[in-house]
Amino acid sequence: MTYESPLAYLLGLEGLALLRSFTGERDREFAAARIAEIRKLLDDEWLADAAVDVARVDTVDGYRIWSQTYDGPNAAFAVDEPVIGEILDALPAGTALDAACGTGRIAALLAGRGHHVLGVDSSPDMLAQARTRVPGGDFRLGDLFRLPVADDAVDLVVCSLALTHVPDLRPVLAEFARVLRPGGHLVTSDVHPERVARGAVPPVRLPDGTPGRVASHCHSTGDYLRAALAAGLQVRRCEEPPMPTGRRSGQARASTPVPWELWPWGLADLVPEAAEAATAPVPAEIIWHFRSAGS
């Protein structure tokens, strides 16, 4: 179980904002406003008693729950799809693997570009939706550590928004390298590690109503690079796109209480100036393009 205190989260945002002020990015008035806001937060009765214990949910159970709403509004899709699409547009059509394919979002992009699509996912519920979405695809139940794909079988592997759920990148990238043909391409996207460290982890409600979050891990930029190089992959491109601006000019400041399902994003709206200073410089995702050795 994880102890989630909205007060602790908000004080953390204020602290990060104050650090940016300390280094000269904000002025005296900004620092004074943050300290005054901290005092108000400490006096907020809802925040004082709103902490909850949150279950850590494995990916199979978590995505079974999430599968019914996964394709709903999701800001992460708008971040990675333009970059992934740009990379794909420069590659010839061939046999492509959508690793951790989920509901087939990336598989549909691949099929639309003329690829013969394989999809692998550990969630039967997600696979059922992928088969409906991409009827011509070959979708298989499996996990990223033991892909049900032969050696040197595909020209392209795409893995979107999944590697944060594995504890160790090295065996997974080695699997991607195994199934790639010489000269094949690997494209990955993930929530940026700095965002994961700030609580950007998918929330789900268990059948009994218990709040839970899908098990996630914070992989540094160096973790991706070391795992790729060890697997014989060459870096072609790395992008760290920003989060689209979600707060409108003049939008009213949120007020407590904030439903747990909206944590931590909804909590940030309680302290918008601090949140902007603390998180605006942090990229939304990290997107890699690798190539396997060979012609």
Side-chain angles (χ1 to χ4, degrees):
M1 300 290 282
T2 301
Y3 177 75
E4 292 190 5
S5 164
L7 178 58
Y9 178 80
L10 293 169
L11 293 177
L13 288 180
E14 297 282 3
L16 289 170
L18 284 169
L19 282 176
R20 303 197 75 85
S21 176
F22 184 81
T23 59
E25 296 184 22
R26 295 294 192 278
D27 59 20
R28 179 191 299 267
E29 289 74 18
F30 178 85
R34 301 284 65 72
I35 293 169
E37 193 164 60
I38 287 171
R39 294 192 176 101
K40 291 180 181 179
L41 292 172
L42 291 171
D43 290 336
D44 188 300
E45 294 182 0
W46 177 78
L47 289 173
D49 298 319
V52 296
D53 290 318
V54 179
R56 187 178 178 89
V57 184
D58 67 44
T59 54
V60 174
D61 289 338
Y63 276 89
R64 182 179 64 247
I65 298 168
W66 200 12
S67 64
Q68 300 305 311
T69 58
Y70 183 79
D71 288 326
N74 190 326
F77 298 168
V79 174
D80 73 356
E81 285 185 13
V83 181
I84 291 175
E86 184 178 288
I87 296 171
L88 296 182
D89 287 342
L91 302 178
T95 300
L97 168 64
D98 183 359
C101 63
T103 60
R105 176 177 68 99
I106 297 299
L109 296 180
L110 293 167
R113 287 168 169 80
H115 293 276
H116 171 62
V117 177
L118 305 178
V120 173
D121 201 276
S122 62
S123 168
D125 300 88
M126 289 286 200
L127 283 172
Q129 295 196 42
R131 292 185 180 108
T132 299
R133 190 173 195 166
V134 186
D138 176 1
F139 293 97
R140 307 171 184 180
L141 184 66
D143 65 60
L144 296 178
F145 294 96
R146 293 172 297 276
L147 292 168
V149 180
D151 294 358
D152 303 331
V154 301
D155 304 291
L156 169 65
V157 176
V158 182
C159 182
S160 174
L161 303 176
L163 293 179
T164 55
H165 299 311
V166 302
D168 187 354
L169 295 174
R170 291 171 296 179
V172 175
L173 267 68
E175 270 293 273
F176 294 162
R178 177 185 67 79
V179 303
L180 276 173
R181 292 169 180 149
H185 296 264
L186 167 64
V187 181
T188 70
S189 72
D190 273 297
V191 176
H192 198 277
E194 290 293 333
R195 293 278 174 180
V196 177
R198 286 163 168 74
V201 176
V204 294
R205 281 281 182 183
L206 300 181
D208 64 359
T210 300
R213 293 199 187 271
V214 180
S216 299
H217 306 271
C218 188
H219 302 303
S220 70
T221 302
D223 291 336
Y224 289 97
L225 186 58
R226 284 184 289 271
L229 294 177
L233 298 167
Q234 304 165 348
V235 178
R236 298 294 299 274
R237 182 174 176 180
C238 180
E239 299 289 346
E240 295 177 293
M243 180 66 74
T245 302
R247 188 175 179 84
R248 301 180 301 276
S249 177
Q251 179 180 345
R253 179 186 296 258
S255 59
T256 55
V258 178
W260 174 80
E261 285 80 3
L262 299 181
W263 296 6
W265 305 278
L267 294 173
D269 287 336
L270 297 172
V271 291
E273 294 82 13
E276 192 279 332
T279 64
V282 179
E285 297 185 23
I286 185 164
I287 301 173
W288 292 93
H289 177 195
F290 302 102
R291 190 173 187 185
S292 65
S295 56

